[in-house]
Amino acid sequence: MAGQNDEVLRALGRLEESVRLLREDFQEEKSAARESRAAIHTRLDRQQDDLSHLETTVVLSGQTVAQQRDVIVGLKETVEKDIRPTIDEVKDIKRLGKTASFIFVSLGFTAGGVFFTFWDSVRPWLGKILIR
């Protein structure tokens, strides 16, 4: 019986060693899983921070665009109310100046034509007056 007891004790020792090795493997797997989950949670937290930063950036960009749109609307109103009448008046003054120039040039040509037409009749009379 002593031989059988020795065999049983050896088998129990091997079984005990196998259980111990399984426990160590299981503990190592638990540690690896814990580290992996921690890394995943760290990445998820980082992504959440990035998304919140992106949302803030989008909101601020939208506000900036809205402010620029308001400024543009204000500038358009200012141009239409204040500057457009001035531009129209300047255009009217230029048109009036061109018309006046055309009239003065026409009057000059007319006066020149009249002068040269009557020059032949005025020249003898002028000569008589100046020579005496």
Side-chain angles (χ1 to χ4, degrees):
M1 276 233 115
Q4 281 184 340
N5 281 341
D6 288 339
E7 280 296 315
V8 169
L9 287 176
R10 271 186 238 151
L12 281 175
R14 284 192 302 263
L15 183 63
E16 193 176 320
E17 181 63 22
S18 296
V19 168
R20 186 184 63 78
L21 289 174
L22 282 174
R23 280 188 179 170
E24 286 179 6
D25 286 345
F26 184 69
Q27 288 298 329
E28 288 175 8
E29 289 295 322
K30 279 176 50 175
S31 296
R34 187 177 306 121
E35 290 173 7
S36 176
R37 282 193 305 272
I40 289 172
H41 284 289
T42 302
R43 286 192 300 241
L44 286 174
D45 290 342
R46 203 169 345 156
Q47 284 183 348
Q48 184 178 3
D49 291 342
D50 290 346
L51 282 175
S52 67
H53 178 71
L54 181 64
E55 288 173 354
T56 303
T57 302
V58 168
V59 167
L60 291 176
S61 296
Q63 290 173 349
T64 302
V65 168
Q67 287 174 348
Q68 289 173 348
R69 194 177 311 122
D70 292 341
V71 167
I72 289 171
V73 167
L75 287 174
K76 283 183 179 178
E77 290 175 1
T78 302
V79 165
E80 289 301 320
K81 287 180 183 176
D82 298 335
I83 298 173
R84 177 62 61 192
T86 304
I87 292 172
D88 292 341
E89 286 178 13
V90 168
K91 286 181 180 179
D92 290 342
I93 290 171
K94 282 179 67 177
R95 193 176 310 116
L96 182 63
K98 287 178 183 178
T99 304
S101 294
F102 178 73
I103 290 172
F104 289 137
V105 167
S106 298
L107 285 175
F109 281 132
T110 304
V114 169
F115 177 76
F116 283 116
T117 301
F118 289 112
W119 177 250
D120 289 335
S121 59
V122 171
R123 191 172 39 142
W125 177 76
L126 201 67
K128 289 179 184 176
I129 293 176
L130 290 176
I131 293 178
R132 289 186 193 190

